[in-house]
Amino acid sequence: MWEPDNAREVAECLRDAAQEHRALNIVGAGTAQYWGGDIRASTTLRIHKLDSVLRYEPGDMTIQVEAGMAVADLQSVVADHGQRLALDAARIDRGATVGGMLATADQGPAQLAFGGPRDLVIGATLVLSDGEIARSGGHVIKNVAGYDLARLVSGSLGTLAAITDLTFRLHPIPAATGTLSIETGIDEAVTYAEAIAETALEPVAAEWISGRLLIRFEGTRSGVHERLDAAAHITGVGTSILDDDEATQAWAQQAAVSSRNGHSAQDTTTLHGLARPSDVSSIVHAAERSCLEHGAVPTIGAGLLTGRVDLRIDAATLSAHAATVDQWRQDIESHDGTVTLRDRPEGLTDLIDAWGEPPSAVAALRAVKAAYDPGDLLGPGRFHPWF
Amino acid sequence: MTLTETTTDTARDDDTFLDSLCGRLRPGAVIVDPTALRTYECDGLTGFRVTPSAVVLADTTEEVRQAVLTCREFGVPYVARGAGTGLSGGALPTSDGIVISLQRMRAILEIDPRNLRAVVEPGVTNIDITKAAAPFGLHFAPDPSSQQVCTVGGNVAENSGGAHCLKYGFTVHHVLELEVVLADGSVVRLGGVNREQPGYDLLAAFVGSEGTLGIVTQVVVRLVRNPATVHTLCADFPSITAASEAVTRIIAAGIVPAAIEMMDALAIEASEAAVGAGYSLDTAAALIVENDGPAAESKVEFEAVEQICRDTGTTKIRIAKDSAERAMIWRGRKAAFAAVGRISPDYIVQDGVVPRTRLSEILSRIGEKAAESGLRVANVFHAGDGNLHPLVLYSEAEGQLEQAEELSREIAELCVEMSGSLSGEHGIGTDKACSMPRMFTESDLAAMWRLRRAFDPEELCNPGKLLPTPRLCGEKPGVYVPHALEVSGDIERF
């Protein structure tokens, strides 16, 4: 395990690794180690010691921090100024780092309003596989000078470059937040969410978790109340407007679907499905069907207006996991969607591929990988069988 | 510098290439008539002019692909072009190359209100997407001032912004999927049905790549719900400094208006002469602030904005009573660029960005530099995101071009010195490629070259744009100036 203290040392690590042809597994807090394929690397490069704020300009609402800083720590720094990084991925509670957020492109319910990490990042420093330093973007929220390498590494899962610092656009913390809840099946939930989206009520999140619809609003205290009432009028009987404690609990339940404590448990697989919002209900039904057929127990969370379906499978045998994943993946792919394998029992990737149908641009993905990491030293195996 | 090249210096077997090109495309798709070619010799940055050897008017993805394949076979460079409204010379042809015009590919293929998206061809104008989405209460959020004519393909190439990107983001935030023809002639899709996609974010890297990574032949854009309410005001200020202070305080108060725009006296004078939108002619600066969103929120924020304007010394506030008055205020703002032609025979538009807290500082520095050079500079810009558009006024007839270009370059580089950027939305193109080393080190640029070459190893796809080359800038294109934070030791380069 290599644990460099600063960006200069990260560059030295990568240079040494290149000289020794040593493959590296780059990690932050290690909360997404099993996402994608199995990495064939004997050395782990942990960047968690790069955890300082490099530059915070509250007046500009931008912050530059080292990549190993925990998102939660960043949030507490900027909260003092009434600001936040508008990311609410479940892993944040487990110490996920800002670099890890971008490398995994991980997103939470607020992606409906704010997008993902790549929509908030405005600058980055990368260390390439040969130790070369590359900076892109900068400190201003509007900037089109040069290629956007910060966005290129979004979703790269540690296979393109080591990220050593990131600059983000911040948003104000709203005066009030409110959540509406109704127990309902997925089909009605989609209908309700779409009806609310058709108004100009501007929900910031709309999630369905195993039989319950949650809609979140942000704004002024009176404005949030007005909109909660208007939305409750649409969802009708059985709707409750949650108090703060209830809301915290409800959103924690939502987060639990896609994030587990601990690492590769033997009986649980988590999958991340992406599709058109209008296909969410059929994809949720497909998940239930796959699990039923193979004797697995599903826990499902769906981003209704974003087209995200997180599926957690609990099953006794490896083959039940594999069969469930395979069937659900085929279903989503028939809807032009994708599935990413996240945490899973050891050995699962011996039975099924970590990734499904390659995208039409897979040759371009390979070319980019070859351009930045010609020796395939960064996270080899992560995108197997795509490359 | 005016770049003027003609086709006479190309001694290649052009005829074989052109025969092959014509043979693979429908009759009439290839223009070679010298007079007709002149139309394509420049984009909105008219100081750079090069006549291409031919223009392909593509109707389909397959025609774009055939053109690219032919170019590849003969080693001929090509440049994609939409409406030609770009302001950085991004669509400037090369004399030995061709232009592939996407302007005839202007079908709106699908509006999907349920999934909030539209599928369009690259030649569709920005405003036409919004017009097609309007019956569903939706719109396409990026709104560059040229939106009446600029194409969405061009918006993708430049990652266009506009007045409302402060709240709604840029083109990169509003594109879900692209069909592109890559340099090897393959047709691929970047992105997908969901905003989030597995793998490297090639879509986001492609948006804003200024036509150097491939040619867009189809765009799937996001559509945004029209806000419940919109409040717009125009506030006069006795000085640019006071107006800048208002901007800084609005941002610092945690308000995210849909737009904050600033115009100085010269810009107002020009705009009023052109469209008479009712701006005050006796004010040093005017701010246009728009708040939109749910009724309660936008009202509270709008009142806070109004109060900040009063606290910072506004002399007059005009609040739009209805959508007609709002449209008039915006008409004055969006017409300002072109209107500057009324008060000066020639002008150069700059596009630098500074952190929002440094607006007043940069504007006074620009004022000083303008005074030193003896040229006038009009300012009309996106104050909310620090994106300046100083218009350097000059007269080519009076031989002021070089002086104007010098001043313009100095302003852009000053923005970089102040932790900003060379360009907020117009792109680097031909215009600022040689300034890139001011903002990025050799190793930063080398990392960008890797991306370019991964997509286009032969460098035929819009060569000479975005990245500095020895041919364009000389062997040593410029000197990297350390970032202020590096000088102060807050950050380091290693």
Side-chain angles (χ1 to χ4, degrees), chain A residues 189-321:
Chain A
V190 168
T191 309
Y192 290 146
E194 287 182 351
I196 290 167
E198 264 183 47
T199 65
L201 295 175
E202 299 190 12
V204 294
E207 298 278 324
W208 180 84
I209 316 103
S210 300
R212 186 185 201 189
L213 169 65
L214 296 175
I215 308 265
R216 185 157 84 206
F217 294 98
E218 292 178 355
T220 61
R221 196 155 290 279
S222 66
V224 165
H225 274 287
E226 269 172 37
R227 286 184 284 144
L228 280 169
D229 287 343
H233 192 70
I234 291 169
T235 52
V237 179
T239 304
S240 53
I241 292 169
L242 306 182
D243 66 29
D244 288 353
D245 287 348
E246 291 168 338
T248 307
Q249 252 179 14
W251 288 109
Q253 188 200 350
Q254 185 280 327
V257 180
S258 59
S259 176
R260 295 175 313 99
N261 286 316
H263 294 312
S264 182
Q266 276 314 303
D267 51 0
T268 307
T269 298
T270 55
L271 299 167
H272 184 63
L274 298 166
R276 285 183 195 87
S278 59
D279 289 329
V280 163
S281 63
S282 59
I283 282 164
V284 167
H285 290 308
E288 290 166 342
R289 222 166 31 237
S290 312
C291 284
L292 190 66
E293 277 179 34
H294 303 290
V297 179
T299 312
I300 303 170
L304 299 181
L305 302 172
T306 52
R308 191 192 78 250
V309 180
D310 287 306
L311 170 64
R312 173 183 161 162
I313 302 167
D314 287 279
T317 66
L318 210 51
S319 60
H321 281 269

Side-chain angles (χ1 to χ4, degrees), chain B residues 46 336-342 344-349 391-395 404:
Chain B
T46 53
F337 265 39
V340 165
R342 290 177 177 255
S344 174
D346 305 289
Y347 63 94
I348 298 172
V349 184
L391 294 129
V392 178
L393 314 186
Y394 70 98
S395 163

